[in-house]
Amino acid sequence: MIVSDKPTFTPEATIGPFFPFRFTDGSEWQALPAPGTGRRADGAPVALTGRILDCHGIGIRNMIVESWQANAHGRYRHPDDGHSDHQGDAPLDPAFDGFARVRTDADGGFRIATIKPGAHPAVSGNAMRAPHLRLTVFGSGIDRLVTFAYFDDEPANPADPLLASLAEPDRGRLVARRSPAEDADGFAAYRLDIVLRGDAETPFFDDWQE
């Protein structure tokens, strides 16, 4: 055996666990069910649509929008979510991961088909977070922008600590408006545009903010 005194380097590797990498189109159930379950998640189906806009109101194509959310019981599929430890009605849903990744179309449009999340306790304090989606936007020249989408028909919105910390019109820029009619798939339809810059800019947050 030949032993070299020349240093060698450990091969690079990416650390898991991994979310599904594929992009889904608007016809699919986009907040992907857990692998191998063969069934849809608990909860009411909803579809969030919108556009990613620049400061001139022009849609931006090929942006990546990722969504992360609690399940219908208010529980995240994450080991640090202790919701079930102090509230027994917040089980994991074996058919729901709570993650989606979509790409904007030529007009900056996107659609996330999922279930309406449940409310859950805030990380700090005794407040409850109203149902919401956590959205992360990536794109050419944009490393990471984090924002939230709430639902305008949620009675828990006024007590949500993040929404309550914002003044209008910023608060309203995080609230998706429900359409009077269901969408073509029979989902409750909500709309929220995300404006990257300008007078109507969407509020963005540090990644650690809940």
Side-chain angles (χ1 to χ4, degrees):
M1 182 175 68
I2 299 174
V3 178
S4 172
D5 55 4
K6 181 180 293 185
T8 59
F9 297 94
T10 302
E12 292 184 359
T14 302
I15 300 173
F18 306 103
F19 289 117
F21 186 74
R22 69 186 180 93
F23 292 95
T24 53
D25 65 35
S27 66
E28 296 185 67
W29 188 266
Q30 290 170 330
L32 302 172
T37 61
R39 70 176 181 86
R40 285 189 171 182
D42 297 335
V46 298
L48 176 70
T49 61
R51 296 171 68 208
I52 307 294
L53 304 172
D54 66 13
C55 61
H56 304 292
I58 298 172
I60 307 175
R61 64 182 302 171
N62 290 329
M63 298 292 290
I64 299 169
V65 183
E66 292 184 348
S67 175
W68 172 238
Q69 66 170 92
N71 65 25
H73 309 289
R75 180 83 183 275
Y76 286 90
R77 184 176 291 279
H78 191 284
D80 288 341
D81 185 351
H83 191 176
S84 63
D85 295 340
H86 53 81
Q87 188 162 326
D89 62 348
L92 283 172
D93 182 348
F96 190 67
D97 275 343
F99 176 80
R101 177 186 285 126
V102 297
R103 193 191 301 273
T104 60
D105 61 21
D107 197 35
F110 65 90
R111 179 178 185 266
I112 297 171
T114 182
I115 54 92
K116 195 170 188 181
H120 64 82
V123 172
S124 58
N126 297 318
M128 291 291 290
R129 296 296 309 278
H132 63 275
L133 307 182
R134 180 188 181 94
L135 303 176
T136 304
V137 179
F138 304 86
S140 178
I142 299 174
D143 291 332
R144 185 181 182 89
L145 294 173
V146 176
T147 190
F148 296 86
Y150 291 83
F151 303 90
D152 70 345
D153 52 0
E154 265 301 324
N157 285 348
D160 182 273
L162 187 144
L163 276 181
S165 71
L166 300 174
E168 292 293 356
D170 284 343
R171 185 184 300 122
R173 291 171 181 156
L174 299 182
V175 180
R177 310 298 172 184
R178 182 167 180 174
S179 168
E182 295 180 341
D183 74 358
D185 293 325
F187 289 15
Y190 294 84
R191 182 175 182 87
L192 181 69
D193 292 337
I194 299 174
V195 182
L196 300 185
R197 294 184 63 184
D199 293 339
E201 180 179 321
T202 296
F204 297 106
F205 302 87
D206 292 329
D207 195 35
W208 53 264
Q209 289 180 275
E210 50 181 59

